[in-house]
């Protein structure tokens, strides 16, 4: 496959991951309404972002997750003001996951399943740990600028809790899906086309 075809393939796969991210984030979320009209949610959208980064690399996987969840924010009247923050943070999840998995762990160059599993777990943990730290912090200052201090203070505790739950569940789900999916793609000869 030449470079142009690889790029077209990765862009189309990014679109597929954006669609999956949107669907999982929008329709499979448990929304928690906070006092004052704000909300947070428990969802697996981050799992799709991590899975995309593991399969496609950090940039394309992160873009897929970022685009999908940002579109989900734009269509939800409660989350619409958070769309720019969502795009940046979800892209960073993908970039960090991809960096750890592909640049440091070199999971695409290995056939050792223990090595691949170890670096898949570390990559997912790194990307999602970034989100656990920075989503509440960035969200706090974002809400502080837009909604004012009382709303920012109130939402911070809920946001830390929901982000932590999302990180743990997304990490487990993304690794549990990636490992057998990778094996199936390798056996079918499609892994080299996707990664």
């Amino acid at each position: 496959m030449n470079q142009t075809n690889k790029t077209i393939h990765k862009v189309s796969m990014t679109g597929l991951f954006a669609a999956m991210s949107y669907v999982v984030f929008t329709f499979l979320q448990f929304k928690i309404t906070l006092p004052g009209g704000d909300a947070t949610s428990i969802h697996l959208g981050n799992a799709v972002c991590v899975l995309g980064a593991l399969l496609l690399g950090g940039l394309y996987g992160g873009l897929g997750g970022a685009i999908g969840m940002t579109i989900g924010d734009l269509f939800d009247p409660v989350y619409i003001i958070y769309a720019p923050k969502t795009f940046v943070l979800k892209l960073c999840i993908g970039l960090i996951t991809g960096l750890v998995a592909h640049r440091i762990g070199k999971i695409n160059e290995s056939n050792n399943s223990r090595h691949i599993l170890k670096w898949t777990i570390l990559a997912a943990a790194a990307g999602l740990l970034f989100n656990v730290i920075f989503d509440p912090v960035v969200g706090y200052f974002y809400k502080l600028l837009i909604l004012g201090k009382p709303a920012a203070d109130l939402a911070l505790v809920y946001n830390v809790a929901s982000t932590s739950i999302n990180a743990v569940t997304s990490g487990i789900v993304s690794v549990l899906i990636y490992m057998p999916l990778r094996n199936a793609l390798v056996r079918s000869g499609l892994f080299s086309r996707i990664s």
Side-chain angles (χ1 to χ4, degrees):
M1 186 183 297
N2 65 31
Q3 190 60 35
T4 303
N5 287 345
K6 280 185 181 180
T7 302
I8 290 170
H9 192 263
K10 280 198 173 187
V11 168
S12 64
M13 291 299 293
T14 300
L16 176 66
F17 274 93
M20 286 191 305
S21 178
Y22 168 75
V23 168
V24 169
F25 174 70
T26 303
F27 299 109
L28 300 176
Q29 74 171 251
F30 176 70
K31 192 178 284 189
I32 302 165
T33 305
L34 304 176
D38 200 6
T40 188
S41 66
I42 307 297
H43 62 85
L44 289 173
N46 295 338
V48 178
C49 187
V50 168
L51 184 61
L54 292 170
L55 286 170
L56 304 175
L59 178 62
Y60 290 102
L63 276 173
I67 290 168
M69 285 186 269
T70 299
I71 292 170
D73 279 359
L74 290 172
F75 286 135
D76 189 322
V78 175
Y79 292 145
I80 192 167
I81 60 171
Y82 304 120
K85 174 187 81 88
T86 295
F87 183 83
V88 171
L89 290 173
K90 302 318 174 189
L91 176 61
C92 288
I93 291 173
L95 291 172
I96 292 167
T97 301
L99 172 74
V100 173
H102 299 290
R103 298 275 188 222
I104 299 170
K106 301 193 184 304
I107 62 172
N108 285 0
E109 299 172 18
S110 177
N111 292 325
N112 181 335
S113 60
R114 295 185 88 189
H115 172 84
I116 295 165
L117 177 61
K118 176 180 107 173
W119 284 102
T120 298
I121 292 169
L122 290 173
L128 293 167
L129 181 61
F130 163 84
N131 197 55
V132 166
I133 295 167
F134 284 93
D135 191 275
V137 170
V138 171
Y140 175 79
F141 288 109
Y142 195 79
K143 288 175 186 169
L144 189 64
L145 292 172
I146 293 173
L147 303 174
K149 186 159 178 50
D153 289 342
L154 179 64
L156 182 62
V157 173
Y158 289 101
N159 198 8
V160 168
S162 67
T163 302
S164 299
I165 293 168
N166 287 341
V168 171
T169 55
S170 292
I172 292 168
V173 168
S174 60
V175 171
L176 288 176
I177 291 173
Y178 175 75
M179 292 305 291
L181 180 60
R182 182 186 199 278
N183 291 336
L185 290 170
V186 168
R187 282 194 308 273
S188 69
L190 295 174
F191 184 72
S192 61
R193 293 186 65 198
I194 291 175
S195 60

